[in-house]
Amino acid sequence: MKRLAVFASGSGTNFEAIAQACADGRLDAEVSLLVCDVPGAKVLERGERFGVETFCFNPKSYACKADFEKKIADRMDALGIGLVCLAGYMRLIGPVLLERYGGRIINIHPSLLPAFKGAHAVEDAVAYGVKVYGITIHYVDESLDGGRIIAQRAFPYEGSDPAEVHRLGQVIEHQLYVDTIAELIK
Ligand code: GAR
């Protein structure tokens, strides 16, 4: 499981943390493929900087999810990908990828699951008045932010600024993702 694929839709700070850990030798792995569903996303610049092969696509150019997932799975097969790391990939994984890579796809989410699923987890938690926040890494199944939990870290925050929660959480995410991948590929 030493060849990784990272899927991202946005900034890609988690992608960078993983790629940097591979480059430093802290992770005995290689990011062999970056998959991005948002043309122009910032993660693409990071991928280029690390010289990682990239498959960037516009979902609207495909008739259905199965069509682009087949393309991704074929490329991952060719590269011998052992572990797929979703890092801010804001799209549900469909049956094609789950059938071929099920049990080898993990996701990072900015809440203590099963609380606060979805794309606005931090904002929802702040609105709720949460005092203990957290990060979860879990296996991916067909449900939104479901699947068996692999690792979690909690941190206290008593304020009401979502940007600050994101900032505190991302520091934890970068470390936790690298540590969790290291454990899984051992
Ligand atoms: C991360 O905070 C991750 O937890 C979140 O997207 C962010 C991506 O940041 N993922 C989800 O909300 C998944 N439901 P990044 O692009 O800087 O790595």
Side-chain angles (χ1 to χ4, degrees), residues 10-15 87-88 90 107-110 118-119 145 170 173:
S11 169
T13 64
N14 281 282
F15 163 82
M90 303 311 253
N107 180 45
I108 191 158
H109 183 75
D145 298 320
Q170 284 227 311
E173 287 193 342

Side-chain angles (χ1 to χ4, degrees), residues 11-82:
S11 169
T13 64
N14 281 282
F15 163 82
E16 177 151 355
I18 295 165
Q20 189 62 54
C22 292
D24 290 351
R26 280 177 291 132
L27 256 185
D28 184 20
E30 174 189 283
V31 180
S32 305
L33 184 66
L34 167 64
V35 173
C36 178
D37 62 338
V38 180
K42 187 159 182 214
V43 69
L44 297 168
E45 289 165 33
R46 300 185 201 262
E48 212 175 299
R49 187 147 42 82
F50 281 90
V52 172
E53 177 181 328
T54 298
F55 175 64
C56 179
F57 65 101
N58 183 347
K60 291 193 183 117
S61 310
Y62 291 82
C64 59
K65 182 180 289 207
D67 284 358
F68 62 74
E69 287 203 343
K70 262 182 217 139
K71 242 183 134 159
I72 294 168
D74 287 347
R75 192 65 200 133
M76 294 205 297
D77 286 355
L79 290 166
I81 298 297

